[in-house]
């Protein structure tokens, strides 16, 4: 049996570094997988920028949540985290349960041996939660997991319909494999425009529904990094020279520049130690940008302390700025465009 490949596309996480979604789209890749997060509400460090770009450029997505669940309750919570991230950008989109070897190892370290019954129970709980929220349930799996961890007959019986995202790095699938596969992740060594290094590539045999929330950001005029800054500044109560919130248009105009002049994110020196100084949404935005540019995973908590200062200094050195550990006018502007 053969199936028609409707389109191809990569799946991305922070492990792929900073990517260019427009280049990927323009190269003909029509759907992109995005890791929304993992475990207990850990949002992927690249999710916001990648999701914003996909939504603004009208690129369809499939989201996935890497599971560290070892109880049904944990799996349900992970589904709810994934749904919350999806809802920021899409009315409807596919959400996949991604339970792999690291998931099993994590459970063992916490005293739980993952059986086929438990893995299947968790998959059903996750996927039912996704479906109940009006999203599209997808299970990510491979040949070993189909044999040893997931009872697909029971999953299908419970869900009615569930899409299968099947990982197997080979040139051809068997008839039975292709018959049950809706998305085939066929390589982890792909090379495509817009992504540095190797990337997972997928073939899509089904046109899974993906409905974006309308964006106020236009492709040719909006810089998503600036728009995110404007939102954060508004959330923190910064106002322009007329006392108004910033228009979240993704443009570094006079009013956004006025707000930037008011901001100096810094840690507080207490004796020989650096403690939390600045706090708030702009700090969270800055921490995300530092992580994205440096490829780190600093906790995004809105607290500008020792770690934030150290990463700021490293970023300033990388961008040939004055390395003073203070995120002010010039540093803020530099991360708009890097």
């Amino acid at each position: 049996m053969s199936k028609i490949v409707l389109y191809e596309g990569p799946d991305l996480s922070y492990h792929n570094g900073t990517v260019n979604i427009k280049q990927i789209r323009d190269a003909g890749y029509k759907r992109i997988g995005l890791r929304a997060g993992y475990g207990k509400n850990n949002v992927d460090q690249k999710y916001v920028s990648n999701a914003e770009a996909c939504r603004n450029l009208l690129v369809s997505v499939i989201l996935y949540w890497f599971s560290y669940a070892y109880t049904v309750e944990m799996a349900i919570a992970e589904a709810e985290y994934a749904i919350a991230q999806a809802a920021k950008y899409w009315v409807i989109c596919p959400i996949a349960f991604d339970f792999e070897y690291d998931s099993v190892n994590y459970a063992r370290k916490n005293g739980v041996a993952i059986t086929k019954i438990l893995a299947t129970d968790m998959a059903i709980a996750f996927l039912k939660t996704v479906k109940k929220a009006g999203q599209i349930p997808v299970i990510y799996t491979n040949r070993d997991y189909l044999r040893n961890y997931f009872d697909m007959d029971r999953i299908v019986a419970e869900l009615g319909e569930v899409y299968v995202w099947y990982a197997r790095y080979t040139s051809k699938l068997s008839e039975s494999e292709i018959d049950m596969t809706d998305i085939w992740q066929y390589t982890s060594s792909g090379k495509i425009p817009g992504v540095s290094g190797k990337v997972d590539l997928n073939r899509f045999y089904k046109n899974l529904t993906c409905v974006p929330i309308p964006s106020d950001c236009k492709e040719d005029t909006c810089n998503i990094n600036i728009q995110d800054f404007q939102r954060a500044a508004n959330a923190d109560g910064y106002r322009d020279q007329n006392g108004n919130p910033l228009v979240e248009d993704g443009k570094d105009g006079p009013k956004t520049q006025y707000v930037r002049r008011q901001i100096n994110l810094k840690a507080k020196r207490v004796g020989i130690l650096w403690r939390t100084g600045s706090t708030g949404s702009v700090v969270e935005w800055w921490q995300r940008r530092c992580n994205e540019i440096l490829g780190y995973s600093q906790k995004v908590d809105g607290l500008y302390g020792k770690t934030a200062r150290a990463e700021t200094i490293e970023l300033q050195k990388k961008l040939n700025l004055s390395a003073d550990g203070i995120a002010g006018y010039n540093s803020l502007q530099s991360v708009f465009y890097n």
Side-chain angles (χ1 to χ4, degrees):
M1 176 181 178
S2 61
K3 282 187 176 180
I4 296 174
V5 178
L6 299 180
Y7 37 80
E8 292 199 13
D11 56 90
L12 306 168
S13 72
Y14 90 100
H15 295 291
N16 299 104
T18 300
V19 302
N20 188 317
I21 299 294
K22 187 174 186 297
Q23 282 188 13
I24 296 171
R25 183 201 67 178
D26 292 349
Y29 297 98
K30 296 183 179 180
R31 189 182 290 264
I32 295 175
L34 299 178
R35 185 175 76 160
Y38 55 95
K40 190 177 180 180
N41 208 18
N42 299 294
V43 178
D44 184 273
Q45 295 90 331
K46 291 291 186 181
Y47 175 70
V48 171
S49 57
N50 288 341
E52 287 268 15
C54 286
R55 191 272 306 269
N56 293 338
L57 295 171
L58 300 179
V59 176
S60 294
V61 302
I62 176 170
L63 304 185
Y64 66 97
W65 195 271
F66 191 96
S67 178
Y68 284 106
Y70 49 83
T71 68
V72 167
E73 292 73 20
M74 291 172 73
I76 291 172
E78 289 181 339
E80 291 170 346
Y81 303 143
I83 291 162
Q85 293 305 317
K88 294 178 180 179
Y89 305 103
W90 291 278
V91 179
I92 302 173
C93 77
I95 300 176
F97 179 62
D98 182 7
F99 191 84
E100 301 186 35
Y101 302 106
D102 281 349
S103 313
V104 172
N105 290 335
Y106 181 78
R108 287 175 179 163
K109 292 174 184 176
N110 285 274
V112 178
I114 301 295
T115 63
K116 190 169 188 175
I117 291 174
L118 178 54
T120 300
D121 286 345
M122 292 192 298
I124 290 170
F126 183 102
L127 296 169
K128 277 188 170 181
T129 304
V130 166
K131 186 174 182 179
K132 185 177 180 181
Q135 306 297 348
I136 299 170
V138 180
I139 186 164
Y140 178 86
T141 188
N142 60 30
R143 187 163 58 171
D144 179 50
Y145 269 66
L146 289 177
R147 290 173 176 170
N148 300 310
Y149 289 104
F150 293 140
D151 183 340
M152 286 304 300
D153 289 339
R154 189 155 70 88
I155 291 172
V156 171
E158 290 276 357
L159 269 294
E161 182 179 37
V162 60
Y163 292 95
V164 175
W165 186 357
Y166 186 60
R168 189 174 178 207
Y169 306 148
T170 182
S171 60
K172 186 178 180 181
L173 296 180
S174 68
E175 286 192 13
S176 60
E177 287 174 316
I178 198 69
D179 184 49
M180 62 91 183
T181 298
D182 300 298
I183 307 155
W184 176 23
Q185 186 184 84
Y186 65 91
T187 183
S188 60
S189 302
K191 297 283 288 184
I192 63 173
V195 182
S196 298
K198 298 177 181 179
V199 64
D200 297 341
L201 289 178
N202 306 275
R203 291 175 180 154
F204 292 82
Y205 302 107
K206 294 285 182 67
N207 189 19
L208 282 66
T209 302
C210 186
V211 180
I213 294 171
S215 171
D216 58 357
C217 185
K218 303 302 181 183
E219 173 185 340
D220 296 332
T221 60
C222 175
N223 180 313
I224 295 169
N225 295 325
I226 297 173
Q227 188 182 56
D228 286 346
F229 167 80
Q230 291 165 330
R231 289 172 177 160
N234 286 339
D236 282 345
Y238 288 100
R239 297 295 180 259
D240 66 21
Q241 51 267 60
N242 299 318
N244 297 317
L246 292 174
V247 175
E248 296 168 3
D249 59 2
K251 299 177 183 178
D252 190 25
K255 293 179 180 179
T256 298
Q257 293 169 17
Y258 175 85
V259 168
R260 275 201 288 119
R261 290 189 183 93
Q262 302 175 53
I263 297 174
N264 280 288
L265 307 178
K266 56 187 176 181
K268 180 171 61 177
R269 187 71 176 264
V270 179
I272 62 171
L273 302 176
W274 291 99
R275 303 293 190 187
T276 299
S278 303
T279 62
S281 296
V282 175
V283 174
E284 289 185 11
W285 171 82
W286 177 258
Q287 289 171 319
R288 283 195 298 271
R289 293 300 295 131
C290 285
N291 286 342
E292 290 165 358
I293 293 171
L294 296 173
Y296 293 164
S297 56
Q298 170 189 179
K299 185 177 181 181
V300 178
D301 57 6
L303 305 176
Y304 197 101
K306 177 182 176 181
T307 301
R309 180 178 182 274
E311 286 205 10
T312 297
I313 291 172
E314 187 167 349
L315 181 141
Q316 289 170 329
K317 291 178 179 177
K318 181 182 178 77
L319 300 182
N320 296 314
L321 300 167
S322 176
D324 58 5
I326 300 173
Y329 186 86
N330 291 330
S331 294
L332 296 173
Q333 183 184 47
S334 292
V335 303
F336 288 166
Y337 304 103
N338 283 278

